[in-house]
Every structure is written in C-alpha cells, then in structure tokens.
Amino acid sequence: MPLYDIEHTLPLTPNQQSRLAVSLTHLHSTTFHVPSYFINVRFWDVSTQPITFRGGVRRDQYNRAILRTRQGGLRSVEDYNRHFKRVVEVWNEIVELGEGDGEGHGEKGMDKVGGKARELRAVWVMGALTTAIEDGIARPAVGEEREWVRANIKQLKRKADEGDEDYQEVIREIEERENLQAV
C-alpha cells in the first residue's frame, strides 16, 4: 500500500523504471506524509497484450498509471488531481523527453518513438484498499501515520535491530522526517 501499477506500451529501460519508482515513491511519500517503505511501484509492459479499447475506439499505444491506495476522507479530489499533475511531470521528465540530451535522444531506440506513444495518457486512483498487514504489522488508516509510528515504533526498531534492512530504512526515514515522527 499504496500500489502504483504503471502499464506501458512504450518500452521502458531498467534505468527509466528505477528513476520512475524512486521519483513516484518520493512524491507520494512527501505529498501524503507516509514512509517510503509503504509505497510499491510495479511496471507492466502491456505492449503484447490485447489492445485497449476506450470509448469503443482501439488504442494501440496507451500508457497509464493506476494508483491503488487506502480509502480515507482526508484526501480530496483536488489533492489527488494536484498529485497526479506532478506524476505526469515526473513521467515527462524521465520518459517522454528521454534520457540524454533533453530532446528525446540518448536512450537506445527511444528517439524513434514519438507523439502519443510517449505520453502518460491517464492517471487513475482507486481508493479500494480498506486495510493491509505486512510483516505482521497492520497499516494505518489515512491520516493516522504518526499515531501508527508511535504504536509500532518498538516493533519497527526490534526488526531493524535484528538486521532487517527494510526496517532499518524505515527507522532512518522516521528519524529524519519531522512529519513522520510521533509526538
């Protein structure tokens, strides 16, 4: 939780995927004040799957991001719309213009792909995640992240002290980010 599914018909290099994952994680984490560890990003090359039909019209080249996240009244439609505009900006910076000279040249073969094939055509949110549990720790409701830190800090630190690198990263981030520190 949350989960960004990036469905792409445009070939994405491992470097582009990595940069997108890091950027989307940072963007979501800082926008919605959640630990980065909560955020998952998956890439789906759908170029060989059945064609997408939208409005009854065949769409051969259609890149989209689908965000599955927790339900909660603290995040308005306007909050998500602002966030999604930034998601498109991240895509444009990393994918649409390519990596290289800033003009779409430099990524092997990427300079041959243009127009709508490079665009992130849609960003959707599905607030369908009611709750989640990972590693035996229930995730917080929207807006209750600081209380969650307070309630689970001993277990998080224990896992970190046992050498779990994921939890070492969680503890480091909690200590560094004021908006994640429990009061």
Side-chain angles (χ1 to χ4, degrees), residues 53-129:
F53 283 82
R54 190 172 53 87
V57 177
R58 181 183 177 114
R59 308 290 180 198
D60 292 329
Q61 299 169 336
Y62 194 82
N63 304 301
R64 67 180 166 207
I66 303 170
L67 168 58
R68 290 167 176 82
T69 190
R70 298 168 292 163
Q71 296 179 9
L74 298 177
R75 298 176 185 166
S76 69
V77 170
E78 292 79 19
D79 292 337
Y80 280 116
N81 286 338
R82 279 190 300 274
H83 177 66
F84 290 158
K85 285 180 182 180
R86 291 189 296 252
V87 167
V88 171
E89 290 170 4
V90 164
W91 175 277
N92 288 345
E93 179 183 319
I94 295 170
V95 176
E96 189 175 358
L97 295 179
E99 301 166 344
D101 64 2
E103 299 296 324
H105 308 287
E107 220 21 90
K108 185 175 181 179
M110 293 298 290
D111 55 338
K112 297 178 181 143
V113 181
K116 291 185 179 189
R118 297 185 73 80
E119 294 177 6
L120 183 61
R121 296 289 304 228
V123 184
W124 301 348
V125 65
M126 300 171 72
L129 183 61

Coordinates of all heavy atoms in Angstrom, one line a residue, residues 53-129:
F53 N -9.4 -0.8 -25.5 CA -10.4 0.0 -26.2 C -11.0 0.9 -25.2 O -11.3 0.6 -24.1 CB -11.5 -1.0 -26.7 CG -11.2 -1.7 -27.9 CD1 -10.4 -2.9 -27.9 CD2 -11.6 -1.3 -29.2 CE1 -10.0 -3.5 -29.0 CE2 -11.2 -1.9 -30.3 CZ -10.5 -3.1 -30.2
R54 N -11.0 2.2 -25.6 CA -11.6 3.2 -24.7 C -12.6 4.0 -25.5 O -12.3 4.5 -26.6 CB -10.5 4.2 -24.2 CG -10.9 5.1 -23.1 CD -9.7 5.9 -22.6 NE -8.9 6.5 -23.6 CZ -9.2 7.8 -24.0 NH1 -10.2 8.4 -23.5 NH2 -8.4 8.3 -24.9
G55 N -13.8 4.1 -25.0 CA -14.9 4.7 -25.8 C -15.2 4.0 -27.0 O -15.7 4.6 -28.0
G56 N -14.9 2.7 -27.0 CA -15.2 1.9 -28.2 C -14.2 2.0 -29.3 O -14.3 1.4 -30.4
V57 N -13.1 2.8 -29.1 CA -12.1 3.1 -30.1 C -10.8 2.3 -29.7 O -10.4 2.4 -28.5 CB -11.8 4.6 -30.2 CG1 -10.7 4.9 -31.2 CG2 -13.1 5.3 -30.6
R58 N -10.2 1.7 -30.6 CA -9.0 1.0 -30.4 C -7.8 1.9 -30.1 O -7.6 2.9 -30.7 CB -8.6 0.2 -31.7 CG -7.4 -0.6 -31.6 CD -7.1 -1.3 -32.9 NE -5.9 -2.1 -32.9 CZ -5.8 -3.4 -33.0 NH1 -6.9 -4.1 -33.1 NH2 -4.7 -4.0 -32.9
R59 N -7.1 1.6 -29.0 CA -5.9 2.4 -28.6 C -4.7 1.5 -28.5 O -4.5 0.7 -27.6 CB -6.2 3.0 -27.2 CG -7.5 3.7 -27.0 CD -7.5 5.0 -27.7 NE -8.8 5.7 -27.4 CZ -9.3 6.6 -28.1 NH1 -8.6 7.1 -29.2 NH2 -10.4 7.1 -27.9
D60 N -3.9 1.6 -29.6 CA -2.7 0.7 -29.7 C -1.6 1.2 -28.7 O -0.9 0.3 -28.2 CB -2.2 0.8 -31.1 CG -3.1 0.1 -32.1 OD1 -3.8 -0.8 -31.7 OD2 -3.1 0.5 -33.3
Q61 N -1.5 2.5 -28.4 CA -0.5 3.0 -27.6 C -1.1 3.8 -26.5 O -1.6 4.9 -26.7 CB 0.5 3.8 -28.5 CG 1.1 3.0 -29.6 CD 1.8 3.8 -30.6 OE1 1.5 5.0 -30.8 NE2 2.8 3.2 -31.3
Y62 N -1.0 3.2 -25.3 CA -1.7 3.8 -24.2 C -1.0 3.5 -22.9 O -1.0 2.4 -22.4 CB -3.1 3.2 -24.1 CG -4.1 4.0 -23.2 CD1 -4.8 5.1 -23.7 CD2 -4.4 3.5 -21.9 CE1 -5.7 5.8 -22.9 CE2 -5.2 4.2 -21.1 CZ -5.9 5.3 -21.6 OH -6.8 6.0 -20.8
N63 N -0.3 4.5 -22.4 CA 0.5 4.4 -21.1 C -0.4 5.0 -20.0 O -0.9 6.1 -20.2 CB 1.8 5.1 -21.2 CG 2.6 4.7 -22.4 OD1 3.0 3.5 -22.5 ND2 2.9 5.6 -23.3
R64 N -0.5 4.3 -18.9 CA -1.3 4.8 -17.8 C -0.7 4.4 -16.5 O 0.0 3.4 -16.4 CB -2.7 4.4 -17.9 CG -3.0 3.0 -17.7 CD -4.5 2.7 -17.8 NE -4.7 1.2 -18.0 CZ -5.7 0.7 -18.6 NH1 -6.6 1.4 -19.1 NH2 -5.8 -0.6 -18.7
A65 N -1.0 5.1 -15.4 CA -0.6 4.8 -14.1 C -1.9 4.6 -13.3 O -2.8 5.5 -13.3 CB 0.2 5.9 -13.4
I66 N -2.0 3.5 -12.6 CA -3.2 3.3 -11.7 C -2.7 3.2 -10.3 O -1.8 2.3 -9.9 CB -3.9 1.9 -12.1 CG1 -4.3 2.0 -13.6 CG2 -5.1 1.7 -11.2 CD1 -4.8 0.7 -14.2
L67 N -3.2 4.0 -9.4 CA -2.8 4.1 -8.0 C -3.9 3.4 -7.2 O -5.0 3.8 -7.2 CB -2.6 5.5 -7.6 CG -2.5 5.8 -6.1 CD1 -1.3 5.0 -5.5 CD2 -2.4 7.2 -5.8
R68 N -3.5 2.4 -6.5 CA -4.4 1.7 -5.6 C -3.9 2.2 -4.2 O -2.8 2.0 -3.8 CB -4.3 0.2 -5.7 CG -4.9 -0.3 -7.0 CD -4.5 -1.7 -7.2 NE -5.2 -2.3 -8.4 CZ -4.8 -2.1 -9.7 NH1 -3.7 -1.3 -9.9 NH2 -5.4 -2.6 -10.7
T69 N -4.9 2.8 -3.4 CA -4.5 3.4 -2.1 C -5.6 3.1 -1.1 O -6.6 2.7 -1.4 CB -4.1 4.8 -2.3 OG1 -3.5 5.3 -1.1 CG2 -5.3 5.7 -2.7
R70 N -5.3 3.5 0.1 CA -6.2 3.4 1.2 C -7.4 4.4 1.0 O -7.2 5.5 0.5 CB -5.6 3.7 2.5 CG -4.5 2.7 2.9 CD -3.6 3.1 4.0 NE -2.9 4.3 3.7 CZ -2.3 5.2 4.5 NH1 -2.4 4.9 5.8 NH2 -1.7 6.2 4.1
Q71 N -8.5 4.0 1.5 CA -9.6 4.9 1.5 C -9.5 5.9 2.6 O -8.9 5.5 3.6 CB -10.9 4.1 1.6 CG -11.2 3.2 0.5 CD -12.5 2.4 0.7 OE1 -13.3 2.7 1.6 NE2 -12.8 1.5 -0.2
G72 N -10.0 7.0 2.5 CA -10.0 8.0 3.6 C -10.5 9.4 3.1 O -10.2 9.8 2.0
G73 N -11.2 10.0 4.0 CA -11.7 11.3 3.7 C -10.8 12.5 3.8 O -11.1 13.6 3.5
L74 N -9.5 12.2 4.2 CA -8.6 13.3 4.4 C -8.0 13.8 3.1 O -7.4 14.8 3.1 CB -7.5 12.9 5.4 CG -8.0 12.6 6.8 CD1 -6.8 12.1 7.7 CD2 -8.7 13.8 7.4
R75 N -8.1 13.0 2.1 CA -7.5 13.3 0.8 C -8.7 13.7 -0.2 O -9.4 12.8 -0.5 CB -6.7 12.2 0.2 CG -5.5 11.8 1.1 CD -4.8 10.7 0.6 NE -3.7 10.3 1.6 CZ -3.1 9.1 1.6 NH1 -3.4 8.2 0.6 NH2 -2.2 8.9 2.4
S76 N -8.7 14.9 -0.6 CA -9.7 15.4 -1.5 C -9.4 15.0 -3.0 O -8.3 14.7 -3.3 CB -9.9 16.9 -1.3 OG -8.8 17.6 -1.9
V77 N -10.4 15.2 -3.8 CA -10.2 15.0 -5.2 C -9.2 16.0 -5.7 O -8.3 15.7 -6.5 CB -11.5 15.2 -6.0 CG1 -11.3 15.3 -7.5 CG2 -12.5 14.0 -5.6
E78 N -9.2 17.2 -5.2 CA -8.3 18.3 -5.5 C -6.8 17.9 -5.1 O -5.9 18.1 -5.9 CB -8.6 19.6 -4.9 CG -9.9 20.2 -5.4 CD -11.2 19.6 -4.8 OE1 -11.1 19.0 -3.8 OE2 -12.2 19.8 -5.5
D79 N -6.7 17.2 -4.0 CA -5.4 16.8 -3.5 C -4.8 15.8 -4.6 O -3.7 15.8 -5.0 CB -5.4 16.1 -2.2 CG -5.7 17.1 -1.0 OD1 -5.5 18.3 -1.2 OD2 -6.3 16.6 0.0
Y80 N -5.7 14.8 -4.9 CA -5.2 13.8 -5.9 C -5.0 14.4 -7.3 O -4.0 14.1 -7.9 CB -6.3 12.7 -6.0 CG -6.2 11.7 -4.9 CD1 -7.2 11.5 -4.0 CD2 -5.0 10.9 -4.7 CE1 -7.1 10.6 -3.0 CE2 -4.9 10.0 -3.7 CZ -6.0 9.8 -2.9 OH -5.9 8.9 -1.8
N81 N -5.8 15.4 -7.7 CA -5.5 16.0 -9.0 C -4.2 16.7 -9.0 O -3.5 16.7 -10.0 CB -6.7 16.9 -9.4 CG -7.9 16.2 -9.8 OD1 -7.9 15.0 -10.2 ND2 -9.1 16.8 -9.7
R82 N -3.9 17.5 -7.9 CA -2.6 18.1 -7.9 C -1.4 17.1 -7.9 O -0.4 17.3 -8.6 CB -2.5 19.0 -6.6 CG -3.1 20.3 -6.7 CD -2.8 21.2 -5.5 NE -3.2 20.6 -4.2 CZ -4.5 20.8 -3.7 NH1 -5.4 21.5 -4.4 NH2 -4.8 20.2 -2.5
H83 N -1.6 16.0 -7.1 CA -0.6 15.0 -7.1 C -0.4 14.3 -8.5 O 0.7 14.1 -8.9 CB -1.1 13.9 -6.1 CG -0.1 12.7 -6.0 ND1 1.2 12.8 -5.5 CD2 -0.3 11.4 -6.3 CE1 1.7 11.7 -5.6 NE2 0.9 10.8 -6.0
F84 N -1.5 14.1 -9.2 CA -1.4 13.4 -10.5 C -0.8 14.3 -11.5 O -0.1 13.8 -12.4 CB -2.8 12.9 -10.9 CG -3.2 11.7 -10.1 CD1 -4.6 11.4 -10.0 CD2 -2.3 10.9 -9.4 CE1 -5.0 10.3 -9.3 CE2 -2.7 9.8 -8.6 CZ -4.1 9.5 -8.6
K85 N -1.0 15.6 -11.4 CA -0.3 16.5 -12.3 C 1.2 16.4 -12.1 O 2.0 16.4 -13.1 CB -0.7 18.0 -12.1 CG -2.1 18.2 -12.7 CD -2.6 19.6 -12.5 CE -4.0 19.8 -13.1 NZ -4.5 21.1 -12.9
R86 N 1.6 16.2 -10.9 CA 3.1 16.0 -10.6 C 3.6 14.7 -11.1 O 4.7 14.5 -11.5 CB 3.4 16.2 -9.1 CG 3.2 17.7 -8.7 CD 3.7 18.0 -7.3 NE 2.9 17.3 -6.3 CZ 2.0 17.9 -5.5 NH1 1.8 19.2 -5.5 NH2 1.4 17.2 -4.6
V87 N 2.7 13.6 -11.0 CA 3.0 12.3 -11.5 C 3.3 12.4 -13.0 O 4.3 11.9 -13.5 CB 1.9 11.3 -11.3 CG1 2.1 10.0 -12.1 CG2 1.8 11.0 -9.8
V88 N 2.5 13.2 -13.8 CA 2.7 13.4 -15.2 C 4.0 14.1 -15.4 O 4.7 13.8 -16.4 CB 1.5 14.1 -15.8 CG1 1.8 14.5 -17.3 CG2 0.2 13.2 -15.8
E89 N 4.3 15.1 -14.6 CA 5.5 15.9 -14.8 C 6.7 14.9 -14.6 O 7.7 15.0 -15.3 CB 5.6 17.0 -13.7 CG 4.6 18.1 -14.1 CD 4.5 19.2 -12.9 OE1 5.2 19.0 -11.9 OE2 3.7 20.1 -13.1
V90 N 6.6 14.0 -13.6 CA 7.7 13.1 -13.4 C 7.9 12.2 -14.6 O 9.0 12.0 -15.1 CB 7.4 12.2 -12.1 CG1 8.3 11.0 -12.1 CG2 7.6 13.1 -10.8
W91 N 6.8 11.7 -15.1 CA 6.8 10.8 -16.3 C 7.5 11.6 -17.5 O 8.3 11.1 -18.2 CB 5.4 10.4 -16.7 CG 5.3 9.7 -18.0 CD1 5.2 10.2 -19.3 CD2 5.3 8.3 -18.2 NE1 5.2 9.2 -20.2 CE2 5.2 8.0 -19.6 CE3 5.4 7.2 -17.3 CZ2 5.2 6.7 -20.1 CZ3 5.3 5.9 -17.9 CH2 5.3 5.7 -19.2
N92 N 7.0 12.9 -17.7 CA 7.5 13.7 -18.8 C 9.1 13.9 -18.6 O 9.8 13.8 -19.6 CB 6.8 15.0 -18.8 CG 5.4 14.9 -19.4 OD1 5.0 13.9 -19.9 ND2 4.6 15.9 -19.2
E93 N 9.5 14.1 -17.4 CA 10.9 14.4 -17.2 C 11.7 13.1 -17.5 O 12.8 13.2 -18.1 CB 11.1 14.8 -15.8 CG 12.6 15.1 -15.4 CD 12.8 15.4 -13.9 OE1 11.9 16.2 -13.4 OE2 13.7 14.9 -13.3
I94 N 11.3 12.0 -17.1 CA 12.0 10.8 -17.2 C 11.8 10.0 -18.5 O 12.7 9.5 -19.1 CB 11.8 9.8 -16.0 CG1 12.3 10.5 -14.7 CG2 12.4 8.5 -16.1 CD1 11.8 9.9 -13.4
V95 N 10.6 10.0 -18.9 CA 10.2 9.1 -20.1 C 10.0 9.9 -21.3 O 10.6 9.6 -22.4 CB 9.0 8.2 -19.7 CG1 8.5 7.4 -20.9 CG2 9.3 7.3 -18.6
E96 N 9.1 10.8 -21.3 CA 8.6 11.5 -22.5 C 9.8 12.1 -23.3 O 9.9 12.0 -24.5 CB 7.5 12.5 -22.3 CG 6.9 12.9 -23.6 CD 5.7 13.8 -23.4 OE1 5.3 14.1 -22.3 OE2 5.2 14.3 -24.4
L97 N 10.6 12.8 -22.5 CA 11.7 13.5 -23.2 C 12.9 12.6 -23.4 O 13.8 12.9 -24.1 CB 12.1 14.8 -22.4 CG 11.1 15.8 -22.3 CD1 11.6 17.0 -21.5 CD2 10.7 16.3 -23.7
G98 N 12.9 11.5 -22.7 CA 14.0 10.5 -22.8 C 15.1 11.0 -21.9 O 15.1 12.0 -21.2
E99 N 16.2 10.2 -21.9 CA 17.3 10.5 -21.1 C 18.5 10.7 -22.0 O 18.8 9.8 -22.8 CB 17.7 9.3 -20.2 CG 16.5 9.0 -19.2 CD 16.7 7.6 -18.6 OE1 17.5 6.8 -19.0 OE2 16.0 7.4 -17.6
G100 N 19.1 11.8 -22.0 CA 20.2 12.1 -22.9 C 20.3 13.6 -23.0 O 20.5 14.2 -22.1
D101 N 20.1 14.1 -24.2 CA 20.3 15.5 -24.5 C 19.1 16.3 -24.1 O 19.1 17.5 -24.4 CB 20.7 15.7 -25.9 CG 19.6 15.3 -26.9 OD1 18.6 14.9 -26.5 OD2 19.9 15.4 -28.1
G102 N 18.0 15.7 -23.6 CA 16.8 16.5 -23.2 C 15.9 16.7 -24.4 O 14.9 17.3 -24.3
E103 N 16.3 16.2 -25.5 CA 15.4 16.3 -26.7 C 14.9 15.0 -27.1 O 14.4 14.8 -28.2 CB 16.2 16.9 -27.9 CG 16.7 18.3 -27.6 CD 15.6 19.3 -27.4 OE1 14.6 19.2 -28.1 OE2 15.8 20.2 -26.6
G104 N 15.0 14.0 -26.3 CA 14.5 12.6 -26.6 C 15.5 11.7 -27.3 O 15.1 10.7 -27.8
H105 N 16.7 12.2 -27.3 CA 17.8 11.3 -27.9 C 18.7 10.9 -26.8 O 19.0 11.6 -25.8 CB 18.6 12.2 -28.9 CG 17.7 12.8 -29.9 ND1 17.1 12.2 -30.9 CD2 17.3 14.1 -30.0 CE1 16.4 13.0 -31.6 NE2 16.5 14.2 -31.1
G106 N 19.2 9.7 -26.9 CA 20.2 9.2 -25.9 C 19.9 7.9 -25.4 O 20.7 7.1 -25.2
E107 N 18.6 7.5 -25.1 CA 18.2 6.2 -24.7 C 18.1 5.4 -26.0 O 17.5 5.8 -27.0 CB 16.8 6.3 -24.1 CG 16.4 5.6 -22.9 CD 17.4 5.1 -21.9 OE1 17.7 5.8 -21.0 OE2 17.7 3.9 -22.0
K108 N 18.7 4.2 -26.0 CA 18.8 3.4 -27.2 C 17.4 3.2 -27.8 O 16.6 2.6 -27.2 CB 19.5 2.1 -26.9 CG 19.7 1.2 -28.1 CD 20.5 0.0 -27.8 CE 20.7 -0.8 -29.0 NZ 21.5 -2.0 -28.7
G109 N 17.2 3.6 -29.0 CA 16.0 3.4 -29.7 C 14.8 4.3 -29.3 O 13.8 4.4 -30.0
M110 N 15.0 5.1 -28.2 CA 13.9 5.9 -27.7 C 13.6 7.1 -28.6 O 12.5 7.6 -28.6 CB 14.2 6.4 -26.3 CG 14.2 5.2 -25.3 SD 12.6 4.4 -25.1 CE 11.6 5.7 -24.4
D111 N 14.6 7.6 -29.3 CA 14.4 8.7 -30.1 C 13.5 8.4 -31.3 O 13.1 9.3 -32.0 CB 15.7 9.3 -30.6 CG 16.6 8.4 -31.3 OD1 16.5 7.1 -31.1 OD2 17.5 8.8 -32.0
K112 N 13.2 7.1 -31.6 CA 12.4 6.8 -32.7 C 10.9 6.7 -32.3 O 10.1 6.6 -33.1 CB 12.8 5.4 -33.2 CG 14.2 5.4 -33.8 CD 14.6 4.0 -34.3 CE 16.0 4.1 -34.8 NZ 16.8 2.9 -34.5
V113 N 10.6 6.8 -31.0 CA 9.3 6.7 -30.5 C 8.8 8.2 -30.2 O 9.5 8.9 -29.5 CB 9.2 5.9 -29.2 CG1 7.7 5.8 -28.8 CG2 9.7 4.5 -29.5
G114 N 7.7 8.6 -30.8 CA 7.3 9.9 -30.5 C 5.8 10.0 -30.3 O 5.1 9.1 -30.3
G115 N 5.3 11.3 -30.2 CA 3.9 11.6 -30.1 C 3.2 10.9 -28.9 O 3.8 10.8 -27.8
K116 N 2.0 10.5 -29.2 CA 1.2 9.9 -28.2 C 1.7 8.7 -27.6 O 1.4 8.3 -26.4 CB -0.2 9.7 -28.7 CG -1.0 10.9 -29.0 CD -2.4 10.7 -29.5 CE -3.1 12.0 -29.7 NZ -4.5 11.8 -30.0
A117 N 2.6 8.0 -28.3 CA 3.2 6.7 -27.8 C 4.0 7.0 -26.5 O 4.2 6.1 -25.7 CB 4.0 6.0 -28.9
R118 N 4.5 8.2 -26.4 CA 5.4 8.5 -25.3 C 4.6 9.1 -24.1 O 5.1 9.2 -23.0 CB 6.5 9.5 -25.7 CG 7.4 9.0 -26.8 CD 8.5 10.0 -27.1 NE 9.5 10.1 -26.0 CZ 10.5 9.2 -25.8 NH1 10.6 8.1 -26.6 NH2 11.3 9.3 -24.8
E119 N 3.4 9.5 -24.3 CA 2.6 10.2 -23.3 C 2.1 9.3 -22.2 O 1.8 8.2 -22.5 CB 1.4 10.9 -23.9 CG 1.7 12.0 -24.8 CD 0.5 12.6 -25.5 OE1 -0.6 12.3 -25.1 OE2 0.7 13.5 -26.4
L120 N 2.0 9.8 -21.0 CA 1.3 9.1 -19.9 C -0.2 9.6 -20.1 O -0.5 10.8 -19.8 CB 1.8 9.5 -18.6 CG 1.2 8.8 -17.4 CD1 1.3 7.3 -17.5 CD2 1.8 9.3 -16.1
R121 N -1.0 8.8 -20.7 CA -2.3 9.2 -21.1 C -3.3 9.3 -19.9 O -4.3 10.1 -20.0 CB -2.9 8.3 -22.2 CG -2.1 8.3 -23.4 CD -2.3 9.5 -24.2 NE -3.7 9.7 -24.5 CZ -4.2 10.0 -25.6 NH1 -3.4 10.2 -26.7 NH2 -5.5 10.2 -25.8
A122 N -3.2 8.5 -18.9 CA -4.1 8.6 -17.8 C -3.4 8.2 -16.5 O -2.5 7.5 -16.4 CB -5.2 7.5 -18.1
V123 N -4.0 8.8 -15.4 CA -3.5 8.5 -14.1 C -4.8 8.3 -13.3 O -5.7 9.3 -13.2 CB -2.7 9.6 -13.4 CG1 -2.2 9.2 -12.1 CG2 -1.5 10.0 -14.3
W124 N -5.0 7.2 -12.7 CA -6.3 6.8 -12.0 C -5.9 6.6 -10.6 O -4.9 6.1 -10.2 CB -6.9 5.6 -12.6 CG -7.3 5.6 -14.0 CD1 -7.4 6.6 -14.9 CD2 -7.7 4.4 -14.8 NE1 -7.8 6.2 -16.1 CE2 -8.0 4.9 -16.1 CE3 -7.8 3.1 -14.5 CZ2 -8.4 4.0 -17.1 CZ3 -8.2 2.2 -15.5 CH2 -8.5 2.7 -16.7
V125 N -6.9 6.8 -9.7 CA -6.8 6.4 -8.3 C -8.0 5.5 -8.0 O -9.1 5.8 -8.4 CB -6.8 7.6 -7.3 CG1 -8.1 8.4 -7.3 CG2 -6.4 7.2 -5.9
M126 N -7.7 4.5 -7.3 CA -8.7 3.5 -6.8 C -8.5 3.4 -5.3 O -7.5 2.8 -4.9 CB -8.5 2.2 -7.5 CG -8.7 2.3 -9.0 SD -8.2 0.7 -9.9 CE -9.6 -0.3 -9.4
G127 N -9.4 4.1 -4.6 CA -9.3 4.0 -3.1 C -9.9 2.8 -2.6 O -10.8 2.8 -1.8
A128 N -9.5 1.6 -3.1 CA -10.1 0.4 -2.8 C -9.4 -0.4 -1.7 O -9.9 -1.4 -1.2 CB -10.1 -0.5 -4.0
L129 N -8.3 0.1 -1.2 CA -7.6 -0.6 -0.1 C -8.2 -0.2 1.2 O -8.0 0.9 1.7 CB -6.1 -0.3 -0.2 CG -5.2 -1.0 0.8 CD1 -5.3 -2.5 0.6 CD2 -3.8 -0.5 0.6

